[in-house]
């Protein structure tokens, strides 16, 4: 008995000592936290476990499920913004202010965010190679605790890098070495991301890893090759996946798709789980020669979603926005609303605006904001918390998409495929589709492949790429105006599944191999059409199509040197009536812009030009149809400022071919500027309606099959819509979007 009592006393004393020690450590930690907060220095943050156990449940882990993100077995759309604090800006890691940071999280939660993207600044986390800053990890733990507390997922962008203005946030040990190719830098970078994956690979508050923001790194954009981009992405993704099998990986690229950059989706698709787009139409005036609020501009997010998605991965709109230092906030709100709904209909699986808040005036006095006035006011809110017009718009969008049940839902397949040439999509130096097999006695050497010729650098082809992407964008908008969904299948992939294929010039050219299909494509095209497919092509004076007459019922004769073009319909075709006219200005006196003289070889002339020469020729091949334009109409529209903001009827040619070929889109609108896209399930789905015009529209939406019920999804709930067979009617305001559940 005495021995047992002694043991119990010792046990009690030991427990009391442990408890007192724990309390003492907590008091010391609290004192250090208060002192650090007062000095705005890095802190010893509260552990995630302490926050998560304080009351509300933590965030569930996220994974990719088909096209969409999923948590707890339910798909959802990440919506929010990029977080850059107003006062500390990009210096928030070193100007650490936990109260201000938590206030931001509370405000973002109030605004309805479920996700934010944020920068993990490289030099802060790893000030010396292999030497990681423990204060940085304690701060990251604190951010994770806030994520759980306020139910906001974190989407970290690593190795920053860039982000604001022309600043490059370097590491002191780079010492001029190329971050995408230097062996030592690659080792440091792969170790860096591996360390983050090791520490946070099981953390459910992280949505996914973004390897970095807007590569190539801003300090080396002109010297980064395709091979560097592929190798860098491959090495970093592999390093993360050593430790982390939970979080999907992306690279936060900005317009690398339309810019034909080395980090374009085709180059990195085998290394990442989803793609990102940053569709800043205002910073691409060659592609978008328009005002901010223009029909072509509001298609930017959908266009890039479709173009990147054609490489075979889901797509997130990871940044989008405009500065109220440049544009009226009401116009920005309208631009964003239209862009978000259009992007959702195209299949985008998340939307993060740039950015949460404007910069505080104190930031105007130092770089990067000192040298970039437009960057100061991209926020949803002002620096002191007042709401811009975009807040109401974004909150409505958040609430609407939160009501979507995406179980079994996927974006509908496209009716029209705009071909992406192999030469554009392939990595530089790849010869896999060159028709060569086995060893060659005399080796083939390309004079344009750079690394294959000693001393030759990789060409940029920027002018050719602008020519191609401008035509693509025109064709994409025309297809949507004609009631068809368009996507971008690659030349050597299964484009034959689409009922209609679009080949706008320069896809038919011979000027630069980057922008046109291969010669053997036309054999496959003829087989596709003969088996029931429909094909449209436009040509210019530089075109070259082998055995053209057997496919199009016409052949090339010579260049047609004109600076103004008028087309007149001479035979009924779809809703085109005899006497309808269309006028175009030729943008340049070059073979890329001049039309072509055609000799008729069995086709039917639908329209003639001002000289009474064939301008549009229709033809039947087997059970399929073709339509040929003697002029590069899409190129003309690409070069015309505000081309789609004035009366414009070119889409009627696409529409006529669709009707002639019997193609029935799942949904179509009777107003060209009102886009209808479908997200499909087994017995129903959602119709996403977007008004790209500046006027309110009364719209009849027609489905390809009878509708049993239609209900509009609103922030507060649903409203039933009257259905008449396969149609329903709605009114939709200028630059507005709406979602309808259909069965």
């Amino acid at each position: 008995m005495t021995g047992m009592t002694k043991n119990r006393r010792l046990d009690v004393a030991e427990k009391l000592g442990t408890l007192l020690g724990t309390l003492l450590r907590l008091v010391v930690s609290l004192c250090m936290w208060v002192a650090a907060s007062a000095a705005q220095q890095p802190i010893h943050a509260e552990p995630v476990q302490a926050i998560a156990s304080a009351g509300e449940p933590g965030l569930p882990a996220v994974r990719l499920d088909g096209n969409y993100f999923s948590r707890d077995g339910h798909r959802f759309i990440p919506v929010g913004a990029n977080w850059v604090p107003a006062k500390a800006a990009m210096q928030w890691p070193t100007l650490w202010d936990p109260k201000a940071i938590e206030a931001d999280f509370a405000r973002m939660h109030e605004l309805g965010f479920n996700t934010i993207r944020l920068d993990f600044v490289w030099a802060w986390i790893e000030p010396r190679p292999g030497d990681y800053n423990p204060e940085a990890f304690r701060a990251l733990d604190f951010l994770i605790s806030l994520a759980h507390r306020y139910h906001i997922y974190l989407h970290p962008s690593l190795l920053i890098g860039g982000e604001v203005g022309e600043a490059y946030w370097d590491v002191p040990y780079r010492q001029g070495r190329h971050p995408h190719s230097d062996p030592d830098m690659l080792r440091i970078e792969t170790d860096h991301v591996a360390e983050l994956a090791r520490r946070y690979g099981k953390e459910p508050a992280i949505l996914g890893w973004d390897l970095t923001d807007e590569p190539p790194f801003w300090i080396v954009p002109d010297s980064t090759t395709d091979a560097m981009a592929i190798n860098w992405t491959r090495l970093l993704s592999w390093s993360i996946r050593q430790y982390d099998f939970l979080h999907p990986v992306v690279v936060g690229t900005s317009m690398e798709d339309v810019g034909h950059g080395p980090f374009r989706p085709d180059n990195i698709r085998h290394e990442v789980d989803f793609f990102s787009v940053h569709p800043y139409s205002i910073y691409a005036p060659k592609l978008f020669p328009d005002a901010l609020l223009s029909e072509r501009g509001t298609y930017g997010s959908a266009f890039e979603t479709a173009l990147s998605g054609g490489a075979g991965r889901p797509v997130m709109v990871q940044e989008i926005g405009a500065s109220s230092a440049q544009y009226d906030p009401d116009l920005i709100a309208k631009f964003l609303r239209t862009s978000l709904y259009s992007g959702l209909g195209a299949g985008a699986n998340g939307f993060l605006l740039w950015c949460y808040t404007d910069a505080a005036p104190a930031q105007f006095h130092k770089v990067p904001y000192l040298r970039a006035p437009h960057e100061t006011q991209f926020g949803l809110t002002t620096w002191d918390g007042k709401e811009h017009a975009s807040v109401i718009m974004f909150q409505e969008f958040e609430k609407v998409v939160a009501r979507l049940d995406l179980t079994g839902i996927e974006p509908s397949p496209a009716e029209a495929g705009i071909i992406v040439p192999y030469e554009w999509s392939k990595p530089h130096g790849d010869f896999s589709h060159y028709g060569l097999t086995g060893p060659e006695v005399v080796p083939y050497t390309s004079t344009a492949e750079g690394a294959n010729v000693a001393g030759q650098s990789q060409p940029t082809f920027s002018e050719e790429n602008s020519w191609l992407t401008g035509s693509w964008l025109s064709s994409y908008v025309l297809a949507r105006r004609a009631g068809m969904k368009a996507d971008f299948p690659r030349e050597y992939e299964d484009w034959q599944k689409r009922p209609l294929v679009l080949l706008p010039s320069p896809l038919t050219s011979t000027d630069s191999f980057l922008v046109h299909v291969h010669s053997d494509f036309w054999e496959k095209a003829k087989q596709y059409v003969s088996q029931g497919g429909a094909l449209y092509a436009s040509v210019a004076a530089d075109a070259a199509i082998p055995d053209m007459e057997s496919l199009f019922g016409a052949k090339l004769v010579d260049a047609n040197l004109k600076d103004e073009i008028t087309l007149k319909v001479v035979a009924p075709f779809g809703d085109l009536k005899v006497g309808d006219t269309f006028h175009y200005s030729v943008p340049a006196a070059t073979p890329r812009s001049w039309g072509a003289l055609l000799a008729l070889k069995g086709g039917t002339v639908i329209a003639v030009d001002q000289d009474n020469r064939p301008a549009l020729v229709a033809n039947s091949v087997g059970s399929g149809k073709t339509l040929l334009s003697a002029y590069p109409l899409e190129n003309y529209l690409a070069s015309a400022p505000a081309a789609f903001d004035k009366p414009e009827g070119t889409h009627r040619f696409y529409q006529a071919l669709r009707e002639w070929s019997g193609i029935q889109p799942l949904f179509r609108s009777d107003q060209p500027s009102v886009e209808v896209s479908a997200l499909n399930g087994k017995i129903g789905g959602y119709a996403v309606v977007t008004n790209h015009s500046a006027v309110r529209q009364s719209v009849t939406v027609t489905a390809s099959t009878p509708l049993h019920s239609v209900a509009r999804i609103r922030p507060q709930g649903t409203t039933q819509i009257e259905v008449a067979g396969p149609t329903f009617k709605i009114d939709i305001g200028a630059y507005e979007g709406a979602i309808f559940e259909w069965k």
Side-chain angles (χ1 to χ4, degrees), residues 531-551:
Q531 293 174 351
L535 188 147
Y536 164 86
S538 61
V539 296
D542 74 328
I545 301 175
D547 195 23
M548 180 177 174
E549 56 268 34
S550 65
L551 182 59

PDB file of all heavy atoms in Angstrom, residues 531-551:
ATOM      1  N   GLN A 531     -16.882  10.783 -95.601  1.00  0.00           N
ATOM      2  CA  GLN A 531     -17.625   9.961 -94.643  1.00  0.00           C
ATOM      3  C   GLN A 531     -18.675  10.756 -93.881  1.00  0.00           C
ATOM      4  O   GLN A 531     -19.245  10.255 -92.914  1.00  0.00           O
ATOM      5  CB  GLN A 531     -16.638   9.311 -93.669  1.00  0.00           C
ATOM      6  CG  GLN A 531     -15.728   8.293 -94.341  1.00  0.00           C
ATOM      7  CD  GLN A 531     -14.661   7.745 -93.409  1.00  0.00           C
ATOM      8  OE1 GLN A 531     -14.483   8.243 -92.290  1.00  0.00           O
ATOM      9  NE2 GLN A 531     -13.939   6.726 -93.861  1.00  0.00           N
ATOM     10  N   GLY A 532     -18.922  12.003 -94.308  1.00  0.00           N
ATOM     11  CA  GLY A 532     -20.014  12.775 -93.734  1.00  0.00           C
ATOM     12  C   GLY A 532     -19.624  14.027 -92.994  1.00  0.00           C
ATOM     13  O   GLY A 532     -20.492  14.762 -92.507  1.00  0.00           O
ATOM     14  N   GLY A 533     -18.332  14.315 -92.892  1.00  0.00           N
ATOM     15  CA  GLY A 533     -17.896  15.521 -92.204  1.00  0.00           C
ATOM     16  C   GLY A 533     -18.120  16.774 -93.029  1.00  0.00           C
ATOM     17  O   GLY A 533     -18.301  16.715 -94.250  1.00  0.00           O
ATOM     18  N   ALA A 534     -18.122  17.915 -92.351  1.00  0.00           N
ATOM     19  CA  ALA A 534     -18.221  19.212 -93.029  1.00  0.00           C
ATOM     20  C   ALA A 534     -16.923  19.966 -92.784  1.00  0.00           C
ATOM     21  O   ALA A 534     -16.355  19.920 -91.685  1.00  0.00           O
ATOM     22  CB  ALA A 534     -19.403  20.009 -92.499  1.00  0.00           C
ATOM     23  N   LEU A 535     -16.442  20.665 -93.801  1.00  0.00           N
ATOM     24  CA  LEU A 535     -15.157  21.349 -93.707  1.00  0.00           C
ATOM     25  C   LEU A 535     -15.250  22.721 -94.341  1.00  0.00           C
ATOM     26  O   LEU A 535     -15.775  22.873 -95.449  1.00  0.00           O
ATOM     27  CB  LEU A 535     -14.072  20.513 -94.384  1.00  0.00           C
ATOM     28  CG  LEU A 535     -12.620  20.979 -94.234  1.00  0.00           C
ATOM     29  CD1 LEU A 535     -11.683  19.779 -94.202  1.00  0.00           C
ATOM     30  CD2 LEU A 535     -12.210  21.906 -95.374  1.00  0.00           C
ATOM     31  N   TYR A 536     -14.738  23.717 -93.619  1.00  0.00           N
ATOM     32  CA  TYR A 536     -14.638  25.081 -94.137  1.00  0.00           C
ATOM     33  C   TYR A 536     -13.168  25.473 -94.201  1.00  0.00           C
ATOM     34  O   TYR A 536     -12.394  25.147 -93.286  1.00  0.00           O
ATOM     35  CB  TYR A 536     -15.376  26.062 -93.236  1.00  0.00           C
ATOM     36  CG  TYR A 536     -14.999  27.515 -93.481  1.00  0.00           C
ATOM     37  CD1 TYR A 536     -15.647  28.256 -94.467  1.00  0.00           C
ATOM     38  CD2 TYR A 536     -13.990  28.123 -92.747  1.00  0.00           C
ATOM     39  CE1 TYR A 536     -15.288  29.573 -94.707  1.00  0.00           C
ATOM     40  CE2 TYR A 536     -13.631  29.447 -92.979  1.00  0.00           C
ATOM     41  CZ  TYR A 536     -14.278  30.172 -93.964  1.00  0.00           C
ATOM     42  OH  TYR A 536     -13.925  31.477 -94.211  1.00  0.00           O
ATOM     43  N   ALA A 537     -12.793  26.174 -95.256  1.00  0.00           N
ATOM     44  CA  ALA A 537     -11.436  26.711 -95.364  1.00  0.00           C
ATOM     45  C   ALA A 537     -11.491  28.062 -96.041  1.00  0.00           C
ATOM     46  O   ALA A 537     -12.324  28.304 -96.924  1.00  0.00           O
ATOM     47  CB  ALA A 537     -10.534  25.769 -96.153  1.00  0.00           C
ATOM     48  N   SER A 538     -10.607  28.935 -95.596  1.00  0.00           N
ATOM     49  CA  SER A 538     -10.385  30.190 -96.324  1.00  0.00           C
ATOM     50  C   SER A 538      -8.939  30.206 -96.782  1.00  0.00           C
ATOM     51  O   SER A 538      -8.054  29.664 -96.113  1.00  0.00           O
ATOM     52  CB  SER A 538     -10.688  31.404 -95.438  1.00  0.00           C
ATOM     53  OG  SER A 538      -9.846  31.455 -94.299  1.00  0.00           O
ATOM     54  N   VAL A 539      -8.697  30.806 -97.909  1.00  0.00           N
ATOM     55  CA  VAL A 539      -7.347  30.842 -98.481  1.00  0.00           C
ATOM     56  C   VAL A 539      -6.953  32.288 -98.743  1.00  0.00           C
ATOM     57  O   VAL A 539      -7.786  33.195 -98.735  1.00  0.00           O
ATOM     58  CB  VAL A 539      -7.259  30.027 -99.791  1.00  0.00           C
ATOM     59  CG1 VAL A 539      -7.513  28.558 -99.532  1.00  0.00           C
ATOM     60  CG2 VAL A 539      -8.226  30.558-100.840  1.00  0.00           C
ATOM     61  N   ALA A 540      -5.667  32.474 -98.970  1.00  0.00           N
ATOM     62  CA  ALA A 540      -5.121  33.764 -99.383  1.00  0.00           C
ATOM     63  C   ALA A 540      -4.182  33.506-100.555  1.00  0.00           C
ATOM     64  O   ALA A 540      -4.071  32.372-101.038  1.00  0.00           O
ATOM     65  CB  ALA A 540      -4.390  34.427 -98.213  1.00  0.00           C
ATOM     66  N   ALA A 541      -3.497  34.545-100.991  1.00  0.00           N
ATOM     67  CA  ALA A 541      -2.620  34.389-102.155  1.00  0.00           C
ATOM     68  C   ALA A 541      -1.449  33.461-101.874  1.00  0.00           C
ATOM     69  O   ALA A 541      -0.807  32.982-102.807  1.00  0.00           O
ATOM     70  CB  ALA A 541      -2.107  35.757-102.605  1.00  0.00           C
ATOM     71  N   ASP A 542      -1.155  33.187-100.596  1.00  0.00           N
ATOM     72  CA  ASP A 542      -0.013  32.326-100.263  1.00  0.00           C
ATOM     73  C   ASP A 542      -0.432  30.875-100.045  1.00  0.00           C
ATOM     74  O   ASP A 542       0.364  30.072 -99.562  1.00  0.00           O
ATOM     75  CB  ASP A 542       0.681  32.840 -99.000  1.00  0.00           C
ATOM     76  CG  ASP A 542      -0.118  32.558 -97.746  1.00  0.00           C
ATOM     77  OD1 ASP A 542      -1.361  32.554 -97.824  1.00  0.00           O
ATOM     78  OD2 ASP A 542       0.496  32.321 -96.696  1.00  0.00           O
ATOM     79  N   ALA A 543      -1.670  30.514-100.365  1.00  0.00           N
ATOM     80  CA  ALA A 543      -2.182  29.185-100.039  1.00  0.00           C
ATOM     81  C   ALA A 543      -1.577  28.112-100.941  1.00  0.00           C
ATOM     82  O   ALA A 543      -1.087  28.384-102.046  1.00  0.00           O
ATOM     83  CB  ALA A 543      -3.699  29.167-100.156  1.00  0.00           C
ATOM     84  N   ALA A 544      -1.618  26.861-100.452  1.00  0.00           N
ATOM     85  CA  ALA A 544      -1.195  25.698-101.242  1.00  0.00           C
ATOM     86  C   ALA A 544      -1.888  24.474-100.674  1.00  0.00           C
ATOM     87  O   ALA A 544      -1.593  24.063 -99.551  1.00  0.00           O
ATOM     88  CB  ALA A 544       0.321  25.531-101.200  1.00  0.00           C
ATOM     89  N   ILE A 545      -2.823  23.889-101.456  1.00  0.00           N
ATOM     90  CA  ILE A 545      -3.577  22.721-101.005  1.00  0.00           C
ATOM     91  C   ILE A 545      -3.460  21.643-102.078  1.00  0.00           C
ATOM     92  O   ILE A 545      -3.991  21.803-103.187  1.00  0.00           O
ATOM     93  CB  ILE A 545      -5.060  23.070-100.764  1.00  0.00           C
ATOM     94  CG1 ILE A 545      -5.187  24.177 -99.712  1.00  0.00           C
ATOM     95  CG2 ILE A 545      -5.841  21.825-100.350  1.00  0.00           C
ATOM     96  CD1 ILE A 545      -6.608  24.667 -99.503  1.00  0.00           C
ATOM     97  N   PRO A 546      -2.748  20.544-101.796  1.00  0.00           N
ATOM     98  CA  PRO A 546      -2.610  19.487-102.807  1.00  0.00           C
ATOM     99  C   PRO A 546      -3.963  18.906-103.211  1.00  0.00           C
ATOM    100  O   PRO A 546      -4.843  18.715-102.364  1.00  0.00           O
ATOM    101  CB  PRO A 546      -1.748  18.433-102.084  1.00  0.00           C
ATOM    102  CG  PRO A 546      -1.048  19.181-100.989  1.00  0.00           C
ATOM    103  CD  PRO A 546      -2.001  20.258-100.568  1.00  0.00           C
ATOM    104  N   ASP A 547      -4.114  18.626-104.501  1.00  0.00           N
ATOM    105  CA  ASP A 547      -5.334  17.997-105.040  1.00  0.00           C
ATOM    106  C   ASP A 547      -6.585  18.736-104.561  1.00  0.00           C
ATOM    107  O   ASP A 547      -7.589  18.129-104.185  1.00  0.00           O
ATOM    108  CB  ASP A 547      -5.383  16.526-104.623  1.00  0.00           C
ATOM    109  CG  ASP A 547      -6.404  15.729-105.424  1.00  0.00           C
ATOM    110  OD1 ASP A 547      -6.752  16.158-106.546  1.00  0.00           O
ATOM    111  OD2 ASP A 547      -6.874  14.695-104.910  1.00  0.00           O
ATOM    112  N   MET A 548      -6.524  20.039-104.625  1.00  0.00           N
ATOM    113  CA  MET A 548      -7.552  20.897-104.041  1.00  0.00           C
ATOM    114  C   MET A 548      -8.921  20.717-104.694  1.00  0.00           C
ATOM    115  O   MET A 548      -9.960  20.722-104.017  1.00  0.00           O
ATOM    116  CB  MET A 548      -7.088  22.349-104.164  1.00  0.00           C
ATOM    117  CG  MET A 548      -8.016  23.376-103.612  1.00  0.00           C
ATOM    118  SD  MET A 548      -7.251  25.022-103.777  1.00  0.00           S
ATOM    119  CE  MET A 548      -8.604  26.056-103.231  1.00  0.00           C
ATOM    120  N   GLU A 549      -8.943  20.548-106.004  1.00  0.00           N
ATOM    121  CA  GLU A 549     -10.221  20.540-106.712  1.00  0.00           C
ATOM    122  C   GLU A 549     -11.101  19.358-106.316  1.00  0.00           C
ATOM    123  O   GLU A 549     -12.335  19.446-106.322  1.00  0.00           O
ATOM    124  CB  GLU A 549     -10.010  20.557-108.236  1.00  0.00           C
ATOM    125  CG  GLU A 549      -9.149  19.446-108.788  1.00  0.00           C
ATOM    126  CD  GLU A 549      -7.676  19.828-108.877  1.00  0.00           C
ATOM    127  OE1 GLU A 549      -7.197  20.578-108.004  1.00  0.00           O
ATOM    128  OE2 GLU A 549      -7.012  19.361-109.819  1.00  0.00           O
ATOM    129  N   SER A 550     -10.483  18.216-105.942  1.00  0.00           N
ATOM    130  CA  SER A 550     -11.285  17.052-105.574  1.00  0.00           C
ATOM    131  C   SER A 550     -11.993  17.250-104.239  1.00  0.00           C
ATOM    132  O   SER A 550     -12.991  16.579-103.961  1.00  0.00           O
ATOM    133  CB  SER A 550     -10.402  15.800-105.503  1.00  0.00           C
ATOM    134  OG  SER A 550      -9.459  15.912-104.454  1.00  0.00           O
ATOM    135  N   LEU A 551     -11.501  18.158-103.414  1.00  0.00           N
ATOM    136  CA  LEU A 551     -12.105  18.416-102.116  1.00  0.00           C
ATOM    137  C   LEU A 551     -13.041  19.614-102.150  1.00  0.00           C
ATOM    138  O   LEU A 551     -14.161  19.555-101.622  1.00  0.00           O
ATOM    139  CB  LEU A 551     -11.010  18.629-101.067  1.00  0.00           C
ATOM    140  CG  LEU A 551     -11.453  18.880 -99.622  1.00  0.00           C
ATOM    141  CD1 LEU A 551     -12.297  17.724 -99.091  1.00  0.00           C
ATOM    142  CD2 LEU A 551     -10.238  19.101 -98.728  1.00  0.00           C
TER     143      LEU A 551
END
